[in-house]
Amino acid sequence: MSKNSYEEGRLNLPFVGHCTFAKSPVCLDWENIDADVAILGAPNDMGTQWRSGARFGPRGIREASTLFSFGHSGAYDFEDDVMYLTREDVRMVDVGDADIVHTDMASSNANIELAVRKILASGAMPVVLGGDHSIHAPVIKAFEGKGPIHILHIDAHLDFVDERHGVRYGHGNPLRRASEMDHIVGMTQLGIRNVSSSNRDDYAAAREAGSTVLSVRHVRELGAEGVLAQIPEAANYYITIDIDGFDPSIAPGTGTPSHGGFQYYEVLEIIQGLAKRCQGRVVGMDLVEVAPAYDPTGVTSILAAQLLMNSIGFIFHARAEARRG
């Protein structure tokens, strides 16, 4: 079993050096990405309907991720007795941000889609840091031809609005836009609750499109294993996480907080269970709506970084286990 090693190389404490995700190497040549995971920022919050600020989410999450990134041999989890994020299991790079053109949603979305297509062409798994949830639409569009894909969606809101006043690509629309794509075969939407931007017709449309919708209370009644039983077997999975799926007591730094949300392990155990069950066949992730200005403590960004790093560890450990037979 590999060990955590601090005997050679720099100590590389969190507050030292360049602020990339998990202190990963930078790769700004998108034609030559050589990694298993590529971290991409999509700092667009023009789809926000109320409090903006998620454009600074990628920076906040990157900075928070340095807390977990020093050391050279991976991260030991004593509960699982597993060393995650080892160099043998996963090579990670930070490819910077898609270019955002202020007030031009179409160009910004095109730039996000292009960036994700470059990552996919390299063979790496994209992990995208939002931005508001509108960024999910161009990200998932980049997966055209790579289906069938089932989406696991963690959120307080259904995000299944079709169109309002001509707006089709705001942060209330992305899962509706995803459902219209041929490579998406269904969705499991968890955490949806309380007063929402979606109406009864939107919920009916989601179910007609093949979505299973479970509130936080439904998830707690079922438990992690019961929720996993609700997620259909699929060739591949994509995970999209809105930080407001978590309770604002642990994730206040978001534009649309909604009380009654998840606690950390409720989401982590579902992601870990899915990664094990599907042997790591998660083809991409995004985490959105972190708005650091509303959380001076920084715990929301830390939560986002911790969840992503654990999830990446679970996914690639499961892939390694599958290879080893």
Side-chain angles (χ1 to χ4, degrees):
M1 181 181 294
S2 60
K3 298 179 180 179
N4 288 89
S5 172
Y6 303 98
E7 285 72 42
E8 57 184 348
R10 295 175 58 121
L11 184 56
N12 201 22
L13 289 169
F15 50 84
V16 171
H18 295 291
C19 189
T20 65
F21 185 84
K23 294 286 188 79
S24 300
V26 172
C27 177
L28 300 183
D29 181 358
W30 293 354
E31 303 299 333
N32 291 287
I33 299 169
D34 182 18
D36 301 305
V37 172
I39 308 297
L40 172 72
N44 182 13
D45 63 6
M46 290 184 287
T48 305
Q49 298 175 76
W50 189 33
R51 302 194 302 185
S52 60
R55 66 184 61 186
F56 296 106
R59 289 187 181 183
I61 296 168
R62 283 183 171 111
E63 182 174 0
S65 73
T66 64
L67 172 62
F68 308 105
S69 60
F70 65 93
H72 308 286
S73 297
Y76 178 65
D77 186 321
F78 88 94
E79 290 183 298
D80 297 340
D81 192 22
V82 169
M83 188 77 82
Y84 292 107
L85 298 170
T86 65
R87 290 173 176 171
E88 294 77 20
D89 281 356
V90 57
R91 298 168 304 136
M92 189 156 44
V93 297
D94 191 321
V95 301
D97 293 344
D99 196 33
I100 304 303
V101 183
H102 65 288
T103 77
D104 189 340
M105 181 67 88
S107 293
S108 299
N109 281 353
N111 289 340
I112 294 168
E113 180 185 343
L114 174 65
V116 176
R117 286 185 182 274
K118 294 292 186 182
I119 294 169
L120 292 172
S122 77
M125 184 183 95
V127 174
V128 184
L129 315 177
D132 68 43
H133 217 155
S134 69
I135 67 101
H136 174 71
V139 170
I140 203 66
K141 187 173 185 294
F143 283 82
E144 282 178 327
K146 298 185 180 297
I149 297 171
H150 185 92
I151 294 175
L152 175 63
H153 173 209
I154 311 294
D155 203 327
H157 309 98
L158 192 68
D159 289 356
F160 223 84
V161 175
D162 185 15
E163 179 178 324
R164 287 183 186 157
H165 295 271
V167 175
R168 295 174 56 80
Y169 286 91
H171 72 169
N173 310 98
L175 277 298
R176 171 77 76 134
R177 299 287 82 83
S179 74
E180 296 165 347
M181 300 176 190
D182 291 339
H183 54 290
I184 303 305
V185 295
M187 303 177 186
T188 302
Q189 301 181 262
L190 307 179
I192 317 304
R193 60 188 183 271
N194 297 333
V195 178
S196 177
S197 59
S198 291
N199 57 34
R200 182 179 282 115
D201 290 342
D202 294 333
Y203 282 86
R207 294 188 177 99
E208 186 177 348
S211 179
T212 297
V213 182
L214 299 175
S215 70
V216 173
R217 286 187 285 188
H218 292 145
V219 169
R220 288 176 178 161
E221 289 167 5
L222 290 168
E225 290 302 318
V227 171
L228 290 168
Q230 299 279 319
I231 301 175
E233 293 285 347
N236 296 298
Y237 297 89
Y238 183 96
I239 302 173
T240 180
I241 302 165
D242 187 325
I243 203 70
D244 70 29
F246 291 94
D247 193 77
S249 61
I250 62 169
T254 186
T256 52
S258 178
H259 288 277
F262 287 123
Q263 296 298 307
Y264 180 69
Y265 274 108
E266 292 176 305
V267 173
L268 189 73
E269 289 172 3
I270 291 168
I271 292 174
Q272 183 175 23
L274 179 62
K276 286 181 177 178
R277 193 187 79 181
C278 74
Q279 298 184 317
R281 294 192 316 276
V282 176
V283 295
M285 295 183 67
D286 62 62
L287 190 149
V288 302
E289 299 284 358
V290 172
Y294 304 116
D295 175 13
T297 69
V299 295
T300 309
S301 295
I302 292 169
L303 169 63
Q306 185 175 338
L307 181 66
L308 286 173
M309 290 185 72
N310 274 297
S311 298
I312 293 166
F314 296 150
I315 290 163
F316 281 87
H317 179 71
R319 290 189 188 185
E321 290 287 286
R323 288 195 301 270
R324 289 190 281 264

